[in-house]
Amino acid sequence: AQSVTQLDSQVPVFEEAPVELRCNYSSSVSVYLFWYVQYPNQGLQLLLKYLSGSTLVKGINGFEAEFNKSQTSFHLRKPSVHISDTAEYFCAVSGGFKTIFGAGTRLFVKA
Amino acid sequence: DSGVTQTPKHLITATGQRVTLRCSPRSGDLSVYWYQQSLDQGLQFLIQYYNGEERAKGNILERFSAQQFPDLHSELNLSSLELGDSALYFCASSSRGGFQYFGAGTRLSVL
């Protein structure tokens, strides 16, 4: 069985500050890991993915995430956020045929 | 544009009625997934089809059913609608690799 926990439901941050959105997972099998972003009134869009190889994954819009197998984490980071990054972010884990999504983290970027 | 098309974009209906939501996956994708997103429940996986066959089932009510047709498009049927069924319904498709491309969603309002 797999599970995903996003540790923060909301993260407020000022523009140009760094941000980290935390994600922990559990799984009994090897997994693929993803971050999706959902802007208001839109569907989910793939931000980045970890399938294998380098544990530091770079995605779109300046985001990156690091896969840490020993801590079963896949935290999302951005060194300097913009107002336009305000959205909901979902961590997801895929193993076998199922993909499990976390509850989401709402990122608020303030001017 | 994700390449996944959902129709209609909005649907307003009354309690007790039945509706059908339609999804056309990205060209070449054999897997189709359905999700329900509401404010109180978050993003809930409903069901997955792969090349016409049911592959995985999530929190799908008995009043809901889905199918995937030979041309790979999928329909989600919701019957005996209740106020609590009001939500955004997303379809996603994927090829091998696990990550999913999401449609823009159908917003269902049950009055």
Side-chain angles (χ1 to χ4, degrees):
Chain A
Q2 297 150 232
S3 67
V4 179
T5 303
Q6 290 185 242
L7 296 156
D8 307 292
S9 59
Q10 296 186 54
V11 174
V13 65
F14 284 103
E15 195 174 18
E16 298 182 10
V19 71
E20 178 180 81
L21 306 184
R22 297 179 294 166
C23 172
N24 286 102
Y25 71 93
S26 68
S27 177
S28 55
V29 300
S30 295
V31 295
Y32 300 146
L33 295 158
F34 311 93
W35 276 97
Y36 288 84
V37 60
Q38 184 179 27
Y39 298 105
N41 300 313
Q42 294 186 29
L44 278 72
Q45 179 184 347
L46 184 68
L47 203 53
L48 50 78
K49 60 186 183 290
Y50 172 78
L51 304 182
S52 65
S54 172
T55 57
L56 184 63
V57 180
K58 292 191 185 299
I60 62 171
N61 300 340
F63 283 93
E64 62 181 33
E66 185 152 21
F67 170 56
N68 188 320
K69 190 174 181 180
S70 62
Q71 296 188 4
T72 60
S73 68
F74 191 55
H75 301 333
L76 181 70
R77 301 186 184 101
K78 185 168 182 178
S80 174
V81 294
H82 301 291
I83 297 284
S84 59
D85 292 323
T86 294
E88 186 143 24
Y89 293 78
F90 293 90
C91 180
V93 58
S94 175
F97 298 122
K98 276 194 177 179
T99 298
I100 307 295
F101 284 82
T105 296
R106 195 169 293 274
L107 176 64
F108 292 104
V109 182
K110 301 177 285 187
Chain B
D1 182 6
S2 67
V4 178
T5 304
Q6 287 188 251
T7 57
K9 284 188 170 44
H10 302 277
L11 201 47
I12 302 174
T13 188
T15 55
Q17 295 298 304
R18 173 189 167 95
V19 297
T20 297
L21 313 183
R22 185 188 166 101
C23 170
S24 293
R26 289 189 332 143
S27 177
D29 285 355
L30 298 180
S31 280
V32 169
Y33 309 76
W34 286 98
Y35 294 87
Q36 180 193 59
Q37 187 179 38
S38 60
L39 282 174
D40 53 344
Q41 299 276 349
L43 189 66
Q44 298 280 320
F45 167 68
L46 296 178
I47 197 163
Q48 178 200 355
Y49 279 82
Y50 178 82
N51 203 19
E53 301 211 353
E54 183 182 304
R55 179 59 64 89
K57 218 167 188 177
N59 301 325
I60 188 165
L61 300 172
E62 283 192 15
R63 300 183 285 109
F64 296 180
S65 65
Q67 53 184 327
Q68 186 179 26
F69 295 87
D71 66 353
L72 301 178
H73 91 271
S74 177
E75 292 182 355
L76 179 67
N77 300 296
L78 314 176
S79 61
S80 302
L81 285 167
E82 302 174 359
L83 295 177
D85 297 326
S86 296
L88 262 172
Y89 290 85
F90 287 107
C91 168
S93 73
S94 74
S95 56
R96 301 183 75 81
F99 56 93
Q100 298 171 27
Y101 292 87
F102 280 75
T106 293
R107 184 175 294 279
L108 174 66
S109 298
V110 182
L111 305 178

